Every structure is written in structure tokens, then in C-alpha cells.
Amino acid sequence: MGDFILSRITPAYNLIVNACNDNNIGYSQSQRTTIQLGVSNRTYCDCSSIISWALYKAGILKDNPWFTTYNMADILRSAGFTKHDINTTWIAGDILLSNEHTEMVHTPHAIGGITMGAHNDTLPFKEQVSINNYATTPSYYRELWRLEAKPVPKEWIKGNRYLSLKEMENNALIINDRLGKNGWTSNAIAAVLGNMQTESTINPWIWEGLKEGNLNGGYGLTQWTPASKYINWAGGEWKNPENEIKRLLWEVSNNQQWFSNPNAPTPSPPITFKDFTKSSLDVKTLANYFLWYYEHPAVTIQPDRGTQAEYWLKIIRDNPPISNEDIPIWGIVSNLKYRKII
């Protein structure tokens, strides 16, 4: 196996995996822009439009150009991708391009690897858009495009004080890395960061009103209230900021903290917490959802949080993270569906 490293490309990679596992998505050049996830009717893409769609949905492309194999190289370059020798060791998320075909690397091997994408319309429908069950050699393609990434900060900035914007950016990039690797969209992450900025200045060690030790007040990134809610859950490692991320992920998995708010303009959540993490809705809308259905303040009209979310969306798009820790590896199961194995 080659290096399995994901970075800013991770959300796009996950979108293509999901499309490959969606039995209602097929291959068509005439209907190449109709692709949708999770709908009951059939939708379609071709080899290049599925990648254009995924890059746009992941926030890597600001607009969807619905590029083709003839013009995608220039668009990838302008989006921050760099061209590598096709014979270099592939990594997950690399985009491979030949004269008339393109796919994304799913699982790298020492030479080449398994690719995924939209193949052609001569295959049975469920195989037209899929993850291949065989390895492809570099000789099949002529170009490899990779989205380079900057290292994720190694240390959290923390303390019972208010952080500067530069300090907040350090922690925001760590949060983007952790949540992104758990399948959260950039828009959902930015919406949470916009709220965290108001709640805690994105500081995992801050107490509400700087009243350290007040278990009845708020504590941490999202200001869990009372503080004992989080501290009792985390136990002896409650001061480890990573456990605050684990708490947030636990809340999603266990449908906790996300519930109706009678003071909100829309009292009942229109989406579940899990759906929130996968959403590509406007970042201001998602910031409001997190404010109303997670934070539950008495004052529900707080436009600054949406403006802050827009700022964080730009930061996490312009500073693609990369980490070698806890990278999800995808394995093949007997029915050719794919599951995550850690």
C-alpha cells in the first residue's frame, strides 16, 4: 500500500465515496449535471462532472464550472492543485487525468492504486459510478493533480482568558482537521466556529465570565452549561481539548443537545444534528441552526455569528489542513460496498 493521506480534499473524497455507494446515481454525458445524493429518482454524472460537483460541494471551488477533461487541468491549477509525475506514489484524493477520462484515487498501492468515479454507461447501472475492485497502473493516465496542504497546528492555545483572532485561527484549524476527518462539511465546521467565537473565543479552557471553577456556569469551546455536564462526562481527562471534540462527536452520534427552541424563528429543527454535519447549506443558515438548536440562547437573533462563520469558512478553505493521525482507511467488503475501518 502507498501513503494514505487526506487533507483539504477529504470532504470531496467523502462525497465521491457516497456517490459511488448511491444506487440511484448513474453515468450520462447528456445529463451530467443532474447528480444528487440521497434522492429516490435517478440522477447522473460523467467522469469529470462528478469531480467538479464534489470539489464545489466541498468548498474547494467557489462556483461549479462543470468542467470537462478538456479544461479541468487549468481549473484545478487555479484552485490550488499542483501537477505531479504520474509515476509518483499516489495518495488518496489525487485526481488522475488522461486525454478523455478522469477519476480520483480511493486506495493507493505501492504502484498505482484503486480509483473511483463515473466510468461509462455500458456497465450495469449500479456499477457505472463506483469504486473499482481492482488496481489501476499509472500508465493508464497521463497527469496527477494533488491539493497540497499545510500542517495542522500541533498545540491548542488555551487558558482562562479571551483569545486574539490569531490565536483563534490556530485552534480553528485544529477543529477543522478533527471534524473534517469525521466527515463534516466545511460549511458545518465554519458554522460551529462562528458560534464558538462568540461563546468562547474558540478557547477550550475558558470559563463563563472567566469565573474559573464555577460548575454552574459554562465551560469550553461551546460553553457546555452547566460545566459539570461536560466535566462529568469526560472524567479525569476533562482538561484535554481533544475530549471536547470527542464530546461534540458523541453528541452527534447519540442525538444529544440538538432539540427544539421555542424562541427561535423556526422552533423545531428542520434537519437532524447528523444532517447538519453533512450539510452544504449556506453557512449563515447553518450558523443559525447551531445557535438555535444547539446553543439555545434566550436571544436568538445574533447575525454576528453568521458573519463570523463566513470568515471561518474562508480561513479553513485557504488553509487546508493535513494530519497523519487517525486517518480513515476505507476497506472493501464482500458486496463491494465500502465501510470505514480505523
Side-chain angles (χ1 to χ4, degrees):
M1 298 286 288
D3 294 333
F4 196 105
I5 300 175
L6 298 177
S7 59
R8 185 184 174 193
I9 200 71
T10 303
Y13 174 97
N14 289 336
L15 282 164
I16 294 180
V17 168
N18 290 338
C20 288
N21 287 328
D22 190 318
N23 291 332
N24 284 320
I25 297 178
Y27 183 100
S28 170
Q29 291 188 329
S30 62
Q31 301 182 66
R32 65 191 297 271
T33 64
T34 63
I35 178 173
Q36 293 185 64
L37 283 174
V39 296
S40 58
N41 57 297
R42 287 187 172 185
T43 65
Y44 299 89
C45 58
D46 66 10
C47 67
S48 53
S49 71
I50 189 175
I51 294 176
S52 184
W53 164 82
L55 296 181
Y56 167 68
K57 287 289 188 180
I60 297 167
L61 297 178
K62 294 182 179 179
D63 300 296
N64 190 348
W66 293 112
F67 56 54
T68 69
T69 53
Y70 298 104
N71 67 354
M72 65 184 288
D74 288 338
I75 295 172
L76 292 175
R77 183 182 291 108
S78 65
F81 286 78
T82 54
K83 183 179 176 181
H84 290 257
D85 188 313
I86 192 63
N87 292 304
T88 193
T89 301
W90 297 357
I91 63 175
D94 283 346
I95 295 174
L96 308 171
L97 178 62
S98 67
N99 290 332
E100 297 183 347
H101 191 63
T102 183
E103 295 201 9
M104 181 177 281
V105 175
H106 177 272
T107 306
H109 288 184
I111 299 176
I114 295 172
T115 64
M116 61 180 175
H119 310 309
N120 59 66
D121 57 7
T122 64
L123 295 168
F125 188 84
K126 292 182 180 181
E127 298 176 19
Q128 292 176 10
V129 179
S130 63
I131 304 166
N132 287 319
N133 58 0
Y134 58 87
T136 300
T137 61
S139 61
Y140 185 81
Y141 293 95
R142 60 180 172 83
E143 296 179 8
L144 182 152
W145 291 87
R146 180 174 297 164
L147 191 59
E148 308 293 356
K150 297 178 182 179
V152 175
K154 294 182 178 180
E155 298 292 335
W156 291 83
I157 296 175
K158 54 192 183 294
N160 190 30
R161 61 183 178 85
Y162 301 114
L163 300 188
S164 68
L165 185 60
K166 184 175 182 180
E167 290 174 320
M168 283 190 268
E169 289 183 5
N170 178 91
N171 290 350
L173 293 180
I174 296 175
I175 293 167
N176 181 46
D177 174 71
R178 305 303 192 260
L179 297 183
K181 289 191 298 185
N182 279 278
W184 288 48
T185 64
S186 296
N187 285 25
I189 296 170
V192 170
L193 291 172
N195 277 276
M196 285 181 176
Q197 180 174 350
T198 297
E199 294 289 333
S200 65
T201 64
I202 317 183
N203 183 347
W205 276 14
I206 198 169
W207 295 78
E208 183 179 355
L210 303 185
K211 296 178 181 179
E212 189 164 351
N214 178 17
L215 296 179
N216 294 317
Y219 174 81
L221 292 168
T222 65
Q223 288 293 283
W224 283 279
T225 305
S228 56
K229 177 193 295 187
Y230 162 72
I231 292 172
N232 291 341
W233 177 88
E237 293 295 316
W238 66 272
K239 294 192 75 173
N240 183 344
E242 297 294 337
N243 284 328
E244 296 188 35
I245 301 298
K246 291 178 181 178
R247 168 71 190 198
L248 187 58
L249 296 173
W250 177 85
E251 289 169 339
V252 173
S253 297
N254 292 275
N255 197 30
Q256 297 293 310
Q257 192 62 31
W258 191 266
F259 52 86
S260 298
N261 183 342
N263 297 315
T266 306
S268 297
I271 58 176
T272 66
F273 201 177
K274 184 176 182 180
D275 288 340
F276 169 88
T277 70
K278 310 293 183 183
S279 179
S280 57
L281 288 172
D282 175 76
V283 70
K284 285 188 172 182
T285 298
L286 292 177
N288 278 332
Y289 287 175
F290 195 81
L291 169 67
W292 298 339
Y293 310 122
Y294 183 92
E295 296 291 357
H296 305 102
V299 179
T300 56
I301 306 302
Q302 299 189 39
D304 285 351
R305 298 193 186 213
T307 302
Q308 291 164 181
E310 289 184 321
Y311 173 80
W312 293 115
L313 184 60
K314 183 178 185 302
I315 291 297
I316 62 180
R317 284 177 175 175
D318 291 349
N319 294 272
I322 185 168
S323 172
N324 291 327
E325 299 177 358
D326 301 324
I327 296 297
I329 306 298
W330 295 82
I332 306 174
V333 295
S334 59
N335 64 355
L336 298 184
K337 292 287 184 183
Y338 286 71
R339 61 183 174 88
K340 188 183 294 184
I341 55 176
I342 303 297

